[in-house]
mmCIF file with all atom_site columns, all heavy atoms in Angstrom:
data_model
loop_
_atom_site.group_PDB
_atom_site.id
_atom_site.type_symbol
_atom_site.label_atom_id
_atom_site.label_alt_id
_atom_site.label_comp_id
_atom_site.label_asym_id
_atom_site.label_entity_id
_atom_site.label_seq_id
_atom_site.pdbx_PDB_ins_code
_atom_site.Cartn_x
_atom_site.Cartn_y
_atom_site.Cartn_z
_atom_site.occupancy
_atom_site.B_iso_or_equiv
_atom_site.pdbx_formal_charge
_atom_site.auth_seq_id
_atom_site.auth_comp_id
_atom_site.auth_asym_id
_atom_site.auth_atom_id
_atom_site.pdbx_PDB_model_num
ATOM 1   N N   . ALA A 1 268 ? -18.482 8.857  11.056 1.00 0.00 ? 268 ALA A N   1
ATOM 2   C CA  . ALA A 1 268 ? -17.077 9.013  11.468 1.00 0.00 ? 268 ALA A CA  1
ATOM 3   C C   . ALA A 1 268 ? -16.188 8.060  10.663 1.00 0.00 ? 268 ALA A C   1
ATOM 4   O O   . ALA A 1 268 ? -15.140 8.440  10.142 1.00 0.00 ? 268 ALA A O   1
ATOM 5   C CB  . ALA A 1 268 ? -16.945 8.747  12.964 1.00 0.00 ? 268 ALA A CB  1
ATOM 6   N N   . GLY A 1 269 ? -16.634 6.815  10.535 1.00 0.00 ? 269 GLY A N   1
ATOM 7   C CA  . GLY A 1 269 ? -15.853 5.822  9.779  1.00 0.00 ? 269 GLY A CA  1
ATOM 8   C C   . GLY A 1 269 ? -15.717 6.217  8.317  1.00 0.00 ? 269 GLY A C   1
ATOM 9   O O   . GLY A 1 269 ? -14.659 6.036  7.703  1.00 0.00 ? 269 GLY A O   1
ATOM 10  N N   . SER A 1 270 ? -16.784 6.772  7.761  1.00 0.00 ? 270 SER A N   1
ATOM 11  C CA  . SER A 1 270 ? -16.762 7.130  6.340  1.00 0.00 ? 270 SER A CA  1
ATOM 12  C C   . SER A 1 270 ? -15.877 8.339  6.072  1.00 0.00 ? 270 SER A C   1
ATOM 13  O O   . SER A 1 270 ? -15.254 8.427  5.007  1.00 0.00 ? 270 SER A O   1
ATOM 14  C CB  . SER A 1 270 ? -18.176 7.418  5.838  1.00 0.00 ? 270 SER A CB  1
ATOM 15  O OG  . SER A 1 270 ? -18.977 6.276  6.007  1.00 0.00 ? 270 SER A OG  1
ATOM 16  N N   . VAL A 1 271 ? -15.809 9.250  7.017  1.00 0.00 ? 271 VAL A N   1
ATOM 17  C CA  . VAL A 1 271 ? -14.890 10.383 6.824  1.00 0.00 ? 271 VAL A CA  1
ATOM 18  C C   . VAL A 1 271 ? -13.457 9.845  6.795  1.00 0.00 ? 271 VAL A C   1
ATOM 19  O O   . VAL A 1 271 ? -12.653 10.230 5.941  1.00 0.00 ? 271 VAL A O   1
ATOM 20  C CB  . VAL A 1 271 ? -15.082 11.458 7.932  1.00 0.00 ? 271 VAL A CB  1
ATOM 21  C CG1 . VAL A 1 271 ? -13.957 12.492 7.910  1.00 0.00 ? 271 VAL A CG1 1
ATOM 22  C CG2 . VAL A 1 271 ? -16.431 12.149 7.757  1.00 0.00 ? 271 VAL A CG2 1
ATOM 23  N N   . GLY A 1 272 ? -13.165 8.913  7.670  1.00 0.00 ? 272 GLY A N   1
ATOM 24  C CA  . GLY A 1 272 ? -11.835 8.291  7.659  1.00 0.00 ? 272 GLY A CA  1
ATOM 25  C C   . GLY A 1 272 ? -11.569 7.540  6.367  1.00 0.00 ? 272 GLY A C   1
ATOM 26  O O   . GLY A 1 272 ? -10.549 7.742  5.707  1.00 0.00 ? 272 GLY A O   1
ATOM 27  N N   . SER A 1 273 ? -12.520 6.701  5.967  1.00 0.00 ? 273 SER A N   1
ATOM 28  C CA  . SER A 1 273 ? -12.267 5.864  4.788  1.00 0.00 ? 273 SER A CA  1
ATOM 29  C C   . SER A 1 273 ? -12.261 6.684  3.505  1.00 0.00 ? 273 SER A C   1
ATOM 30  O O   . SER A 1 273 ? -11.715 6.267  2.492  1.00 0.00 ? 273 SER A O   1
ATOM 31  C CB  . SER A 1 273 ? -13.294 4.732  4.698  1.00 0.00 ? 273 SER A CB  1
ATOM 32  O OG  . SER A 1 273 ? -14.563 5.238  4.388  1.00 0.00 ? 273 SER A OG  1
ATOM 33  N N   . SER A 1 274 ? -12.848 7.864  3.541  1.00 0.00 ? 274 SER A N   1
ATOM 34  C CA  . SER A 1 274 ? -12.855 8.711  2.341  1.00 0.00 ? 274 SER A CA  1
ATOM 35  C C   . SER A 1 274 ? -11.581 9.539  2.221  1.00 0.00 ? 274 SER A C   1
ATOM 36  O O   . SER A 1 274 ? -11.053 9.726  1.122  1.00 0.00 ? 274 SER A O   1
ATOM 37  C CB  . SER A 1 274 ? -14.038 9.691  2.387  1.00 0.00 ? 274 SER A CB  1
ATOM 38  O OG  . SER A 1 274 ? -15.257 9.013  2.482  1.00 0.00 ? 274 SER A OG  1
ATOM 39  N N   . PHE A 1 275 ? -11.112 10.063 3.358  1.00 0.00 ? 275 PHE A N   1
ATOM 40  C CA  . PHE A 1 275 ? -10.101 11.125 3.258  1.00 0.00 ? 275 PHE A CA  1
ATOM 41  C C   . PHE A 1 275 ? -8.777  10.849 3.967  1.00 0.00 ? 275 PHE A C   1
ATOM 42  O O   . PHE A 1 275 ? -7.870  11.682 3.892  1.00 0.00 ? 275 PHE A O   1
ATOM 43  C CB  . PHE A 1 275 ? -10.703 12.442 3.776  1.00 0.00 ? 275 PHE A CB  1
ATOM 44  C CG  . PHE A 1 275 ? -11.963 12.818 3.046  1.00 0.00 ? 275 PHE A CG  1
ATOM 45  C CD1 . PHE A 1 275 ? -13.178 12.928 3.716  1.00 0.00 ? 275 PHE A CD1 1
ATOM 46  C CD2 . PHE A 1 275 ? -11.938 13.023 1.678  1.00 0.00 ? 275 PHE A CD2 1
ATOM 47  C CE1 . PHE A 1 275 ? -14.346 13.254 3.033  1.00 0.00 ? 275 PHE A CE1 1
ATOM 48  C CE2 . PHE A 1 275 ? -13.097 13.349 0.974  1.00 0.00 ? 275 PHE A CE2 1
ATOM 49  C CZ  . PHE A 1 275 ? -14.307 13.463 1.656  1.00 0.00 ? 275 PHE A CZ  1
ATOM 50  N N   . ALA A 1 276 ? -8.631  9.724  4.637  1.00 0.00 ? 276 ALA A N   1
ATOM 51  C CA  . ALA A 1 276 ? -7.351  9.447  5.310  1.00 0.00 ? 276 ALA A CA  1
ATOM 52  C C   . ALA A 1 276 ? -6.222  9.490  4.289  1.00 0.00 ? 276 ALA A C   1
ATOM 53  O O   . ALA A 1 276 ? -6.382  8.998  3.161  1.00 0.00 ? 276 ALA A O   1
ATOM 54  C CB  . ALA A 1 276 ? -7.405  8.083  5.987  1.00 0.00 ? 276 ALA A CB  1
ATOM 55  N N   . ASN A 1 277 ? -5.116  10.068 4.667  1.00 0.00 ? 277 ASN A N   1
ATOM 56  C CA  . ASN A 1 277 ? -3.958  10.195 3.774  1.00 0.00 ? 277 ASN A CA  1
ATOM 57  C C   . ASN A 1 277 ? -4.350  10.878 2.455  1.00 0.00 ? 277 ASN A C   1
ATOM 58  O O   . ASN A 1 277 ? -3.893  10.512 1.384  1.00 0.00 ? 277 ASN A O   1
ATOM 59  C CB  . ASN A 1 277 ? -3.331  8.818  3.495  1.00 0.00 ? 277 ASN A CB  1
ATOM 60  C CG  . ASN A 1 277 ? -1.890  8.921  3.052  1.00 0.00 ? 277 ASN A CG  1
ATOM 61  O OD1 . ASN A 1 277 ? -1.130  9.765  3.523  1.00 0.00 ? 277 ASN A OD1 1
ATOM 62  N ND2 . ASN A 1 277 ? -1.490  8.070  2.118  1.00 0.00 ? 277 ASN A ND2 1
ATOM 63  N N   . GLN A 1 278 ? -5.268  11.861 2.576  1.00 0.00 ? 278 GLN A N   1
ATOM 64  C CA  . GLN A 1 278 ? -5.774  12.595 1.396  1.00 0.00 ? 278 GLN A CA  1
ATOM 65  C C   . GLN A 1 278 ? -6.403  11.638 0.370  1.00 0.00 ? 278 GLN A C   1
ATOM 66  O O   . GLN A 1 278 ? -6.318  11.848 -0.836 1.00 0.00 ? 278 GLN A O   1
ATOM 67  C CB  . GLN A 1 278 ? -4.678  13.437 0.712  1.00 0.00 ? 278 GLN A CB  1
ATOM 68  C CG  . GLN A 1 278 ? -4.088  14.536 1.560  1.00 0.00 ? 278 GLN A CG  1
ATOM 69  C CD  . GLN A 1 278 ? -3.198  13.995 2.657  1.00 0.00 ? 278 GLN A CD  1
ATOM 70  O OE1 . GLN A 1 278 ? -3.527  14.106 3.824  1.00 0.00 ? 278 GLN A OE1 1
ATOM 71  N NE2 . GLN A 1 278 ? -2.089  13.384 2.293  1.00 0.00 ? 278 GLN A NE2 1
ATOM 72  N N   . GLY A 1 279 ? -6.998  10.563 0.879  1.00 0.00 ? 279 GLY A N   1
ATOM 73  C CA  . GLY A 1 279 ? -7.663  9.598  -0.018 1.00 0.00 ? 279 GLY A CA  1
ATOM 74  C C   . GLY A 1 279 ? -6.694  8.729  -0.790 1.00 0.00 ? 279 GLY A C   1
ATOM 75  O O   . GLY A 1 279 ? -7.098  7.967  -1.669 1.00 0.00 ? 279 GLY A O   1
ATOM 76  N N   . GLN A 1 280 ? -5.417  8.816  -0.470 1.00 0.00 ? 280 GLN A N   1
ATOM 77  C CA  . GLN A 1 280 ? -4.411  8.058  -1.230 1.00 0.00 ? 280 GLN A CA  1
ATOM 78  C C   . GLN A 1 280 ? -4.056  6.746  -0.522 1.00 0.00 ? 280 GLN A C   1
ATOM 79  O O   . GLN A 1 280 ? -2.904  6.489  -0.207 1.00 0.00 ? 280 GLN A O   1
ATOM 80  C CB  . GLN A 1 280 ? -3.157  8.916  -1.422 1.00 0.00 ? 280 GLN A CB  1
ATOM 81  C CG  . GLN A 1 280 ? -3.415  10.236 -2.108 1.00 0.00 ? 280 GLN A CG  1
ATOM 82  C CD  . GLN A 1 280 ? -2.239  11.187 -1.994 1.00 0.00 ? 280 GLN A CD  1
ATOM 83  O OE1 . GLN A 1 280 ? -1.668  11.586 -2.979 1.00 0.00 ? 280 GLN A OE1 1
ATOM 84  N NE2 . GLN A 1 280 ? -1.849  11.530 -0.787 1.00 0.00 ? 280 GLN A NE2 1
ATOM 85  N N   . ILE A 1 281 ? -5.060  5.957  -0.245 1.00 0.00 ? 281 ILE A N   1
ATOM 86  C CA  . ILE A 1 281 ? -4.832  4.602  0.274  1.00 0.00 ? 281 ILE A CA  1
ATOM 87  C C   . ILE A 1 281 ? -5.656  3.691  -0.628 1.00 0.00 ? 281 ILE A C   1
ATOM 88  O O   . ILE A 1 281 ? -6.819  3.992  -0.907 1.00 0.00 ? 281 ILE A O   1
ATOM 89  C CB  . ILE A 1 281 ? -5.280  4.459  1.745  1.00 0.00 ? 281 ILE A CB  1
ATOM 90  C CG1 . ILE A 1 281 ? -4.552  5.471  2.643  1.00 0.00 ? 281 ILE A CG1 1
ATOM 91  C CG2 . ILE A 1 281 ? -5.050  3.034  2.255  1.00 0.00 ? 281 ILE A CG2 1
ATOM 92  C CD1 . ILE A 1 281 ? -4.884  5.385  4.124  1.00 0.00 ? 281 ILE A CD1 1
ATOM 93  N N   . CYS A 1 282 ? -5.047  2.609  -1.081 1.00 0.00 ? 282 CYS A N   1
ATOM 94  C CA  . CYS A 1 282 ? -5.770  1.745  -2.024 1.00 0.00 ? 282 CYS A CA  1
ATOM 95  C C   . CYS A 1 282 ? -7.060  1.228  -1.398 1.00 0.00 ? 282 CYS A C   1
ATOM 96  O O   . CYS A 1 282 ? -7.974  0.826  -2.111 1.00 0.00 ? 282 CYS A O   1
ATOM 97  C CB  . CYS A 1 282 ? -4.879  0.605  -2.494 1.00 0.00 ? 282 CYS A CB  1
ATOM 98  S SG  . CYS A 1 282 ? -4.115  -0.284 -1.132 1.00 0.00 ? 282 CYS A SG  1
ATOM 99  N N   . LEU A 1 283 ? -7.165  1.255  -0.065 1.00 0.00 ? 283 LEU A N   1
ATOM 100 C CA  . LEU A 1 283 ? -8.330  0.721  0.633  1.00 0.00 ? 283 LEU A CA  1
ATOM 101 C C   . LEU A 1 283 ? -9.409  1.760  0.892  1.00 0.00 ? 283 LEU A C   1
ATOM 102 O O   . LEU A 1 283 ? -10.465 1.453  1.448  1.00 0.00 ? 283 LEU A O   1
ATOM 103 C CB  . LEU A 1 283 ? -7.881  0.119  1.968  1.00 0.00 ? 283 LEU A CB  1
ATOM 104 C CG  . LEU A 1 283 ? -6.831  -0.988 1.843  1.00 0.00 ? 283 LEU A CG  1
ATOM 105 C CD1 . LEU A 1 283 ? -6.220  -1.304 3.191  1.00 0.00 ? 283 LEU A CD1 1
ATOM 106 C CD2 . LEU A 1 283 ? -7.444  -2.238 1.234  1.00 0.00 ? 283 LEU A CD2 1
ATOM 107 N N   . CYS A 1 284 ? -9.160  3.014  0.506  1.00 0.00 ? 284 CYS A N   1
ATOM 108 C CA  . CYS A 1 284 ? -10.150 4.067  0.763  1.00 0.00 ? 284 CYS A CA  1
ATOM 109 C C   . CYS A 1 284 ? -11.475 3.728  0.074  1.00 0.00 ? 284 CYS A C   1
ATOM 110 O O   . CYS A 1 284 ? -11.504 3.178  -1.029 1.00 0.00 ? 284 CYS A O   1
ATOM 111 C CB  . CYS A 1 284 ? -9.647  5.413  0.246  1.00 0.00 ? 284 CYS A CB  1
ATOM 112 S SG  . CYS A 1 284 ? -8.562  6.248  1.415  1.00 0.00 ? 284 CYS A SG  1
ATOM 113 N N   . GLY A 1 285 ? -12.567 4.078  0.728  1.00 0.00 ? 285 GLY A N   1
ATOM 114 C CA  . GLY A 1 285 ? -13.900 3.819  0.165  1.00 0.00 ? 285 GLY A CA  1
ATOM 115 C C   . GLY A 1 285 ? -14.325 5.014  -0.659 1.00 0.00 ? 285 GLY A C   1
ATOM 116 O O   . GLY A 1 285 ? -14.889 5.974  -0.129 1.00 0.00 ? 285 GLY A O   1
ATOM 117 N N   . SER A 1 286 ? -14.055 4.963  -1.957 1.00 0.00 ? 286 SER A N   1
ATOM 118 C CA  . SER A 1 286 ? -14.288 6.163  -2.777 1.00 0.00 ? 286 SER A CA  1
ATOM 119 C C   . SER A 1 286 ? -15.709 6.239  -3.333 1.00 0.00 ? 286 SER A C   1
ATOM 120 O O   . SER A 1 286 ? -16.122 7.266  -3.852 1.00 0.00 ? 286 SER A O   1
ATOM 121 C CB  . SER A 1 286 ? -13.270 6.217  -3.912 1.00 0.00 ? 286 SER A CB  1
ATOM 122 O OG  . SER A 1 286 ? -13.232 4.979  -4.578 1.00 0.00 ? 286 SER A OG  1
#
Side-chain angles (χ1 to χ4, degrees):
S270 300
V271 169
S273 69
S274 302
F275 304 118
N277 202 37
Q278 297 72 247
Q280 303 167 119
I281 302 182
C282 51
L283 302 167
C284 276
S286 50

